[in-house]
Amino acid sequence: MADRVPDLPALTDDCSSCAALCCAAYPFEAHEDFAILKDMDSPCSNLANNFRCTIHPDLAIKGFGGCVAYSCAGAGQRVTQVLFDGEAWRDDPDLLTHMTHALRVLRPIHEALKVLQEAHALPLPDALKSRAISLMAALCPPAPTSVWDFEDDAVQDALHALPDFIDQLAPHVDASL
């Protein structure tokens, strides 16, 4: 059995290494999770010039429960630091849509990697552990330099294979409980 988990990127948020991509990438609808209406690819009105939220300590109180619950799973800093070499859209506004698109591509991949990492840690048959490793490897293109590396068919196929893999885990997870 191939039991070596590939080197994974950081799968936890590091907002200090990100250009507040989540605060620009996603649209908000004014309802219970967001107090304002915001278009996709536009900065939140609560975002300061230093990429910090001006209401962060009071997000839930001010009606931004969606922000409280959000996690990029490390995709934001990977986009900012790796794919864009630390550049920021505030310095070059033309980068905004490219960076936010990259976040929307990488976030589900990072979330899938977290799920696969957790699955691999379970007491599973060797075949399922091997499948988890092969999916992780497919989601980690070697030396990626652009979002296109993550839009590659092999990466996207691995991402789309995750639900079927999770379904295969159910009988084994139930038995271990």
Side-chain angles (χ1 to χ4, degrees), residues 128-161:
L128 287 175
K129 285 200 177 263
S130 291
R131 181 68 175 141
I133 289 171
S134 69
L135 288 172
M136 282 188 262
L139 291 170
C140 294
T145 58
S146 83
V147 69
W148 294 321
D149 294 319
F150 298 95
E151 292 176 313
D152 182 79
D153 287 344
V155 175
Q156 291 300 307
D157 289 347
L159 183 61
H160 296 334

Side-chain angles (χ1 to χ4, degrees), residues 15 19-20 22-23 28 36 44-60 62 64 67-68 90:
C15 298
C22 63
C23 300
F28 300 165
I36 61 172
C44 176
S45 59
N46 296 309
L47 187 62
N49 287 336
N50 66 354
F51 298 117
R52 299 292 173 257
C53 178
T54 60
I55 63 166
H56 193 269
D58 300 319
L59 282 170
K62 295 199 176 201
F64 289 86
C67 296
V68 174
R90 286 250 197 242

Side-chain angles (χ1 to χ4, degrees), residues 93-105:
D94 290 337
L95 292 177
L96 178 65
T97 57
H98 301 288
M99 294 181 83
T100 56
H101 171 75
L103 177 68
R104 290 188 295 268
V105 171

Side-chain angles (χ1 to χ4, degrees), residues 6 10 45 56 78 81 83 93 107 116 122 134 136 150 159 164:
S45 59
H56 193 269
R78 190 174 190 195
Q81 299 303 320
L83 299 185
R107 181 179 176 224
L116 290 164
L122 295 171
S134 69
M136 282 188 262
F150 298 95
L159 183 61
D164 287 337

Side-chain angles (χ1 to χ4, degrees), residues 13-29:
D13 305 346
D14 178 4
C15 298
S16 68
S17 296
C18 181
L21 299 179
C22 63
C23 300
Y26 301 105
F28 300 165
E29 282 190 32

